Amino acid sequence: AQSVTQPDIHITVSEGASLELRCNYSYGATPYLFWYVQSPGQGLQLLLKYFSGDTLVQGIKGFEAEFKRSQSSFNLRKPSVHWSDAAEYFCAVGAVNTDKLIFGTGTRLQVFP
Amino acid sequence: GAVVSQHPSRVICKSGTSVKIECRSLDFQATTMFWYRQFPKQSLMLMATSNEGSKATYEQGVEKDKFLINHASLTLSTLTVTSAHPEDSSFYICSASNPTLSTDTQYFGPGTRLTVL
C-alpha cells in the first residue's frame, strides 16, 4: 500500500541555520512527490514537486528537495532558515495517471530568532 | 495564478443541522476537485474526488449520504455536511486541479473550520 512517513513530528532550528525535513515513501511504481507548506489556519501551498528527470528539485522560498530512489526518500532542505518559514510541512506522494495524493503526518517547524 | 477559495472560513452549527461549504477556483477551470478532512495535528485525509458534471467518488469509510458533494461547474464544488454531529467537527480543505494548467498538481483552498456544538 502507498504510504508516506515523516519521522520528525516537530523540529526547532535557529534562524539562519540549515534545515532538512525527512520524507520516506512506499510506492510500487514511479511516484510523483510533493512538498507542501501550511501556515496556521490556512490551506496548503506547493513548495516543489518531482515527476522525473533531475533528482534535485528547486522550489519556491529557497527550498530544494532530492529524490533518492535507493532510499525511497524525498528530503526537503533549505540552507538558511528564516523566521517566516515556521509552519507545518507536508510531504505527499501521488500515483502516475491518478489524481490522488497521500500525505505524510507533517512536520512542524519552529524557528527561534 | 491558480487560486482556490473556500467559504466560509469558519462555521459553528448546532448538532443535527446541515452545513454547506463552497470551494471555488478563481482564475482557472478545475476539472477535478478534492475534499480533505484534517484533524488537529494530523495529516490530510482524502474524503472524495469530484469531476465536473459527474458524481463524486468517495474514499472507503466516507459516508456519501452524510457528506454530499456537488461539482456543478468548472469553478465551483460544494460539500454539505448533513445532520452534523460533534464528531464531524474538523478542518475541511478543498483542492482543485486541471491537467492543462499543471500536470498532477493540486491547488489548495485555505480551509474551513467546522465546529458542531
Side-chain angles (χ1 to χ4, degrees):
Chain A
Q2 303 164 34
S3 66
V4 178
T5 302
Q6 292 181 248
D8 305 304
I9 297 173
H10 187 198
I11 284 183
T12 301
V13 300
S14 298
E15 190 170 20
S18 63
L19 172 71
E20 181 169 29
L21 302 182
R22 295 183 291 166
C23 173
N24 293 95
Y25 68 90
S26 173
Y27 187 65
T30 301
Y32 288 175
L33 295 161
F34 304 81
W35 274 100
Y36 285 89
V37 59
Q38 183 182 33
S39 296
Q42 297 191 20
L44 278 69
Q45 181 182 23
L46 179 66
L47 286 175
L48 47 79
K49 59 187 178 183
Y50 171 78
F51 286 174
S52 64
D54 192 346
T55 56
L56 185 61
V57 181
Q58 301 298 320
I60 63 172
K61 302 185 179 184
F63 286 93
E64 66 177 26
E66 186 171 12
F67 171 59
K68 292 185 178 180
R69 185 185 299 276
S70 62
Q71 298 178 19
S72 297
S73 69
F74 189 57
N75 294 348
L76 182 71
R77 300 193 295 251
K78 186 169 184 177
S80 178
V81 171
H82 188 262
W83 64 266
S84 60
D85 293 325
E88 187 91 18
Y89 290 80
F90 291 96
C91 180
V93 61
V96 175
N97 295 326
T98 77
D99 295 328
K100 295 183 181 180
L101 291 178
I102 297 173
F103 285 86
T105 51
T107 297
R108 178 165 297 279
L109 173 65
Q110 193 170 9
V111 181
F112 281 117
Chain B
V3 178
V4 177
S5 71
Q6 280 184 243
H7 177 80
S9 58
R10 292 176 179 270
V11 57
I12 300 174
C13 69
K14 293 181 178 180
S15 185
T17 61
S18 294
V19 175
K20 180 184 285 188
I21 302 170
E22 292 185 348
C23 176
R24 294 181 184 273
S25 56
L26 299 184
D27 52 1
F28 69 102
Q29 292 183 327
T31 51
T32 305
M33 284 186 166
F34 306 83
W35 286 95
Y36 294 85
R37 184 172 180 177
Q38 185 180 30
F39 291 100
K41 299 185 179 180
Q42 294 189 28
S43 188
L44 282 74
M45 301 300 295
L46 179 64
M47 298 174 66
T49 304
S50 73
N51 293 296
E52 185 264 339
S54 303
K55 289 186 178 180
T57 301
Y58 290 79
E59 294 300 299
Q60 191 172 9
V62 178
E63 299 177 59
K64 59 181 67 177
D65 294 330
K66 181 168 187 59
F67 298 100
L68 301 179
I69 292 172
N70 183 278
H71 191 168
S73 78
L74 284 170
T75 59
L76 173 64
S77 176
T78 60
L79 167 67
T80 301
V81 183
T82 62
S83 186
H85 288 93
E87 57 265 31
D88 298 324
S89 298
S90 192
F91 195 53
Y92 292 88
I93 303 176
C94 73
S95 69
S97 68
N98 184 324
T100 60
L101 184 67
S102 183
T103 305
D104 293 299
T105 299
Q106 297 180 26
Y107 300 94
F108 285 81
T112 296
R113 170 86 49 202
L114 169 63
T115 303
V116 184
L117 301 177

